[in-house]
Amino acid sequence: MQTVDDSQETAPVDRKERQRQTMQAEIRATARGLLVDEGGAAVTINAIARRMGLSGPALYRYYPSQAALIDALRADFYGELIAAMRQASSHGAGDAPGSGLLAMSRSLRGWALAHPAEFGWLFASPTANREPGACDPIKSEMGHAFGQVFLEQVLAIWEAKRFPVPSIEDMPAIQAEQLRAFSERLGGRLPAEAASVYLACWMRLYGLLCMEIFRQIDFAYADMTPIYEECLQELCRLLDIAYAPPDG
Amino acid sequence: MQTVDDSQETAPVDRKERQRQTMQAEIRATARGLLVDEGGAAVTINAIARRMGLSGPALYRYYPSQAALIDALRADFYGELIAAMRQASSHGAGDAPGSGLLAMSRSLRGWALAHPAEFGWLFASPTANREPGACDPIKSEMGHAFGQVFLEQVLAIWEAKRFPVPSIEDMPAIQAEQLRAFSERLGGRLPAEAASVYLACWMRLYGLLCMEIFRQIDFAYADMTPIYEECLQELCRLLDIAYAPPDG
DNA sequence: TAACTAAAGTTAGAGGGAATAACGAGTCAA
DNA sequence: TTGACTCGTTATTCCCTCTAACTTTAGTTA
């Protein structure tokens, strides 16, 4: 049934497949260069093809549409950011509880500052702007994995040494219900009360970073490093861990 | 010198000018309808003209380019949002100090929730995405007026009854310097220490709202009303005013 | 009243982008 | 050798922005 009888047949197939994948990677790399050099509006099928010495329609052998290409590129960005965050958090592990979280948070900001155009595409896709009701599949999938990295750190802190949590009874019923559902979706590894702390921390950090990257506060602050560190200090207080200033 | 000798000459000129302005307003209204109905990508010169029963190039009599039209539309949105915020804050005035701030904050969220597409264009213009270095003139001008509305409320609270402020000596030098410069740009009406509290409050509120409107947290929270109110409670604590739950 | 002027609309067209169709050249296996 | 498959091409369609050149119309002026 299978055509995998021996290597004489599978080898060329694999080689072709690898060539195809490197071509796709080259297309995405070219698109990213265009994004960084000339802005998001310059990322067109024709412009990418021109940069690669190809004719426009050739790219449709590799991506069915411009939107698909852009989505793949955004998935790249998510992957790169998540990898950077994971690496930073593992580097800081073994020390005091929460050192991984601090390292991860700083690497998140570092990546966003180093790649503002890419970060902008993560936050709001130019593709998703097309239709009003259409939700962003990349953001739903990868955005989940994105918050997940932060969640893992909070989870580690929670499992090592519980942090203070608010009483879920004091919350409005709608909020309590949503927290319970979310906690369940997490497999119950984080109780609803602790999940509310995780979400509060994540919103604080991510919200502040967006304010900075999208320059919403630049009428007052050009350099937001101290404010970001102040935010991290408050997260540490909320999670009952020790704050350590960045080294270097 | 002036051609304003009597009404026989000025009347037709004014009438033409008025006609021109109502035409511009109609164009912007049509564009907004397109934005709301079919998304940002549908806001094209040709589509607007089609909806109005005109040919495309006719619109260039009223706006020099698509970008200019979009900028004018965004200025409309800023104006509408700011007017809503101002109205809400004046309605709540006279009562306890800070009641205006609470009303304003809630009307801000109310407007953003009612007009997510418009809010999206305030936060990140599709025009500004063109070039990487190009800053957004509308956001710089109107965004300032936007934060100003919140600032006025904080200022009123400050002048009525000082709120606790952090010591500027304890801050990093970079932050202290930026705060002093900002305070000076404000005409010294708010000292640097108090300005840091204003900015912290504004970033918290605006950042949280962006998280909600851009659905960054919808993996956990569908309805963020309680979280927004929680944030308002914390702002009240920071500004040393009484929190009052929304009526209704 | 007749001619002039300026504004507001028109069509035609250049230039670019997304996407499809139809076609040619290479590769590989039977 | 032949047939199939892949990857590239050009040609074409449709839509977009924007300019040029024109008609029409309303208001002004001699």
Side-chain angles (χ1 to χ4, degrees):
Chain A
M1 316 292 174
Q2 308 266 63
T3 54
V4 203
D5 29 29
D6 73 3
S7 62
Q8 276 177 323
E9 192 167 352
T10 61
V13 171
D14 282 0
R15 202 179 52 104
K16 281 236 162 189
E17 189 53 32
R18 267 201 312 275
Q19 273 189 349
R20 196 182 157 74
Q21 283 176 1
T22 56
M23 188 65 171
Q24 285 181 321
E26 193 185 331
I27 291 170
R28 293 199 305 275
T30 309
R32 182 176 187 168
L34 234 20
L35 168 64
V36 171
D37 295 346
E38 301 172 37
V43 183
T44 69
I45 293 283
N46 286 331
I48 298 164
R50 261 197 303 275
R51 267 208 183 187
M52 296 179 70
L54 291 175
S55 257
L59 296 200
Y60 288 91
R61 296 280 172 198
Y62 301 96
Y63 289 100
S65 69
Q66 187 200 30
L69 199 173
I70 287 176
D71 279 351
L73 193 52
R74 293 176 67 223
D76 275 4
F77 296 161
Y78 263 118
E80 189 176 309
L81 173 55
I82 288 171
M85 287 164 71
R86 269 195 214 286
Q87 193 186 5
S89 69
S90 69
H91 269 238
D95 305 5
S99 67
L101 185 130
L102 284 173
M104 193 221 71
S105 303
R106 288 177 185 130
S107 102
L108 163 61
R109 175 165 180 260
W111 192 90
L113 280 175
H115 307 287
E118 289 92 330
F119 188 80
W121 269 21
L122 291 190
F123 189 80
S125 142
T127 304
N129 201 22
R130 307 274 168 203
E131 282 168 54
C135 67
D136 188 341
I138 299 296
K139 192 154 87 184
S140 298
E141 288 168 43
M142 302 296 280
H144 191 256
F146 180 35
Q148 198 83 12
V149 185
F150 192 84
L151 174 62
E152 280 165 23
Q153 296 299 313
V154 174
L155 209 52
I157 295 168
W158 175 255
E159 280 162 359
K161 176 178 76 72
R162 314 264 143 137
F163 44 79
V165 295
S167 161
I168 206 167
E169 307 299 332
D170 299 344
M171 297 178 189
I174 324 119
Q175 188 180 3
E177 202 44 59
Q178 292 179 102
L179 283 173
R180 270 190 281 264
F182 179 62
S183 170
E184 204 156 312
R185 240 171 297 143
L186 255 45
R189 292 200 299 164
L190 201 64
E193 292 91 346
S196 87
V197 176
Y198 152 66
L199 288 167
C201 288
W202 179 236
M203 284 188 279
R204 285 283 290 274
L205 194 72
Y206 191 20
L208 179 61
L209 183 60
C210 289
M211 293 292 101
E212 177 175 19
I213 302 296
F214 296 111
R215 318 187 77 90
Q216 298 291 332
I217 311 295
D218 64 357
F219 61 88
Y221 287 127
D223 182 356
M224 292 209 7
T225 310
I227 285 86
Y228 197 78
E229 288 299 323
E230 207 178 300
C231 180
L232 287 181
Q233 279 182 52
E234 191 153 338
L235 295 202
C236 287
R237 240 185 306 125
L238 286 170
L239 297 172
D240 197 27
I241 56 178
Y243 168 80
D247 39 64
Chain B
M1 313 294 175
Q2 307 267 58
T3 54
V4 203
D5 29 27
D6 72 4
S7 61
Q8 276 178 321
E9 194 165 350
T10 61
V13 170
D14 282 358
R15 201 178 54 103
K16 281 234 163 191
E17 189 54 32
R18 267 201 312 276
Q19 272 188 352
R20 197 182 158 74
Q21 282 174 2
T22 57
M23 188 64 172
Q24 286 181 321
E26 194 185 329
I27 291 170
R28 294 200 305 276
T30 309
R32 182 178 186 164
L34 233 21
L35 168 64
V36 171
D37 295 347
E38 301 171 36
V43 183
T44 68
I45 292 284
N46 287 331
I48 297 164
R50 263 195 304 275
R51 267 207 182 187
M52 296 179 70
L54 292 175
S55 258
L59 296 200
Y60 288 91
R61 296 279 170 197
Y62 301 96
Y63 289 100
S65 69
Q66 187 199 31
L69 199 172
I70 286 177
D71 279 352
L73 193 53
R74 294 175 67 222
D76 274 4
F77 297 161
Y78 264 118
E80 189 176 309
L81 172 55
I82 287 170
M85 288 163 72
R86 269 194 214 287
Q87 192 186 4
S89 70
S90 70
H91 269 236
D95 305 5
S99 66
L101 184 130
L102 284 173
M104 192 221 72
S105 302
R106 287 177 184 130
S107 100
L108 163 60
R109 175 165 179 258
W111 193 90
L113 280 175
H115 308 287
E118 290 91 330
F119 188 81
W121 269 20
L122 291 190
F123 189 80
S125 142
T127 304
N129 201 21
R130 308 272 167 203
E131 282 168 54
C135 67
D136 188 340
I138 299 295
K139 193 155 86 184
S140 298
E141 287 168 43
M142 302 296 281
H144 190 257
F146 181 35
Q148 198 84 9
V149 185
F150 192 85
L151 174 62
E152 279 165 24
Q153 296 298 314
V154 175
L155 210 53
I157 296 168
W158 175 254
E159 281 163 358
K161 175 178 78 72
R162 313 264 142 136
F163 45 79
V165 294
S167 161
I168 206 168
E169 306 300 331
D170 299 343
M171 297 178 190
I174 325 120
Q175 187 181 2
E177 201 43 60
Q178 292 180 101
L179 282 172
R180 270 190 281 264
F182 178 63
S183 169
E184 202 155 313
R185 241 171 296 142
L186 255 45
R189 292 200 299 164
L190 200 64
E193 292 91 344
S196 86
V197 176
Y198 152 66
L199 288 167
C201 288
W202 179 236
M203 285 189 279
R204 284 282 291 274
L205 195 71
Y206 191 21
L208 180 62
L209 183 60
C210 289
M211 294 291 101
E212 177 174 18
I213 302 297
F214 296 111
R215 318 188 77 91
Q216 298 292 334
I217 310 295
D218 63 357
F219 61 87
Y221 287 128
D223 182 357
M224 290 205 15
T225 310
I227 285 88
Y228 197 78
E229 288 299 323
E230 207 178 300
C231 180
L232 288 180
Q233 279 182 51
E234 192 153 338
L235 295 203
C236 287
R237 240 184 300 126
L238 286 170
L239 297 171
D240 196 26
I241 56 177
Y243 168 80
D247 39 63

